[in-house]
Amino acid sequence: MTALYTWGDATAGALGHERYDDITREPRRLINSKKYQQVSCGEGYSLAVDHAGHMFGWGTGPSVFDSKAPFPIPTEKMVKKVFAGSKHAACIDVDGDMYTWGTDSAGWFKGGGRMGHANKEKEIQQPKYVLLVIHPL
């Protein structure tokens, strides 16, 4: 069986280990590890997609999860890619649609709203569809 191994700063459970407060210098197996096709590490949390297209998170992330072990993050469609930022996250589903969630207290995203949404929500708890509009040059 293939497993995911992590190392580094385990603050907030970002590595998926039993302890939240240590520095891991040697690779250690993730709790309840499974075979993932893609992983992205953020500030205090990580996201992953398994081969079936299910998304998981662990650590203290920009959604309603705070878990040492991988926790399923529900989506309407299967996910292809995940992106973990400092306080926000994004995923792209199998149809190429983008979803974002998290906190934008600093107003980092400019033009068209925060995290790609037209409204000015400062916190989005679950993945929310981003309507992409392409303007001609």
Side-chain angles (χ1 to χ4, degrees):
M1 176 173 155
T2 304
L4 178 63
Y5 289 80
T6 59
W7 63 97
D9 184 354
T11 304
L15 300 179
H17 301 163
E18 289 292 331
R19 294 187 53 182
Y20 272 45
D21 60 351
D22 67 342
I23 300 291
T24 305
R25 298 188 194 291
E26 298 292 325
R28 199 181 299 169
R29 186 184 167 132
L30 181 75
I31 299 170
N32 299 329
S33 185
K34 55 188 337 182
K35 196 170 185 178
Y36 295 107
Q37 70 174 357
Q38 195 243 329
V39 177
S40 183
C41 302
E43 185 177 319
Y45 74 103
S46 299
L47 298 172
V49 179
D50 70 10
H51 287 278
H54 301 106
M55 182 168 48
F56 295 85
W58 59 92
T60 303
S63 185
V64 282
F65 71 85
D66 182 1
S67 176
K68 290 186 243 181
F71 178 89
I73 299 174
T75 56
E76 291 181 23
K77 298 178 187 173
M78 297 294 100
V79 173
K80 198 171 180 181
K81 294 271 187 193
V82 291
F83 308 91
S86 61
K87 305 218 182 308
H88 60 279
C91 68
I92 296 176
D93 70 18
V94 293
D95 294 331
D97 292 327
M98 178 186 277
Y99 297 78
T100 61
W101 68 101
T103 303
D104 185 26
S105 58
W108 295 345
F109 297 91
K110 306 295 182 200
R114 296 187 160 117
M115 289 184 282
H117 304 289
N119 58 20
K120 300 296 182 189
E121 290 178 81
K122 290 195 179 226
E123 183 151 359
I124 299 170
Q125 293 292 320
Q126 297 293 325
K128 184 175 180 179
Y129 177 73
V130 176
L131 177 63
L132 298 177
V133 178
I134 300 180
H135 296 281
L137 297 175

